[in-house]
Amino acid sequence: DISRSVTDTNKLEYVNAKLIHTLIDVRLEGLVQVKEGFEAALQALSPGIRAAACALSPRDLQILVCGQLRLVPADVLGLLRFDGFLADSLIPQWVRELVAASDSDWLRTFLLFATGEKTLPRAPKPEHLTIEAAVHRTTQSLPSSHTCFNKVDVPLYESAEELSNKLNIALHSNSPLSLA
């Protein structure tokens, strides 16, 4: 009842009703369309694949469709490959330290910058992430990415702090593409 006042006795009921209205009722038409589209796509699969998909738990299906929900540094560290750095370069170590100290949100932003997706890379794209020495670029340049190849070009910065600052600027810039 819209004319009913919210009191201490009914505030929990009000909050629950407001949540249902905000999260479900106003989105119901869109949610139904997503459900119907998903069901139609499932019906278009071959019977064997459809049976396997139906056997998945909701959690497994969510991971299959959306990717890993929570990223941890070890997930990203396992993807890293370094190319073009001299043996005594500290940049690979600094990148590993930066990734190891990062939270899930930063890791997703980093993956989006490097791969074009906020999830761990999957086939047919390379299932690793290459950090390449950008020897032709000055340390004034920001890192740049080649999302088709899961590659990040990193200039030869002189400190871990400079690497972190420049990478964070690149990650949070408004343009996902650069003409570097």
Side-chain angles (χ1 to χ4, degrees):
D1 181 16
I2 199 160
S3 63
R4 203 167 115 194
S5 297
V6 177
T7 65
D8 280 341
T9 9
N10 70 1
K11 68 181 170 187
L12 182 59
E13 178 185 349
Y14 171 81
V15 168
N16 285 335
K18 182 71 173 171
L19 283 172
I20 288 170
H21 175 73
T22 303
L23 297 177
I24 298 171
D25 294 345
V26 298
R27 296 178 169 97
L28 190 56
E29 183 181 343
L31 291 171
V32 167
Q33 289 174 349
V34 167
K35 179 181 179 255
E36 289 171 354
F38 187 77
E39 288 171 347
L42 196 57
Q43 291 302 315
L45 296 173
S46 69
I49 294 175
R50 184 173 42 239
C54 289
L56 293 172
S57 71
R59 172 86 171 121
D60 290 337
L61 187 58
Q62 183 179 23
I63 290 171
L64 180 66
V65 172
C66 303
Q68 192 75 14
L69 296 182
R70 176 146 170 74
L71 287 176
V72 294
D75 295 332
V76 177
L77 286 169
L79 299 173
L80 296 179
R81 306 288 182 269
F82 296 90
D83 190 25
F85 294 97
L86 297 176
D88 62 347
S89 174
L90 294 174
I91 292 177
Q93 174 188 330
W94 296 337
V95 170
R96 286 186 194 100
E97 289 170 357
L98 183 58
V99 168
S102 298
D103 64 14
S104 186
D105 289 337
W106 189 92
L107 295 170
R108 284 201 187 285
T109 303
F110 178 67
L111 285 174
L112 180 62
F113 176 74
T115 70
E117 299 181 28
K118 289 186 173 188
T119 59
L120 298 172
R122 299 183 292 247
K125 289 180 77 172
E127 293 183 7
H128 59 274
L129 200 160
T130 301
I131 309 297
E132 188 166 307
V135 295
H136 59 285
R137 311 240 332 261
T138 71
T139 57
Q140 300 304 310
S141 301
L142 295 176
S144 61
S145 63
H146 307 275
T147 57
C148 291
F149 305 104
N150 294 352
K151 188 174 97 166
V152 176
D153 292 339
V154 176
L156 302 177
Y157 298 122
E158 296 178 12
S159 71
E161 182 180 12
E162 184 179 22
L163 168 69
S164 176
N165 290 340
K166 296 281 177 85
L167 183 57
N168 279 309
I169 291 169
L171 295 183
H172 296 94
S173 72
N174 292 329
S175 173
L177 301 174
S178 78
L179 299 175

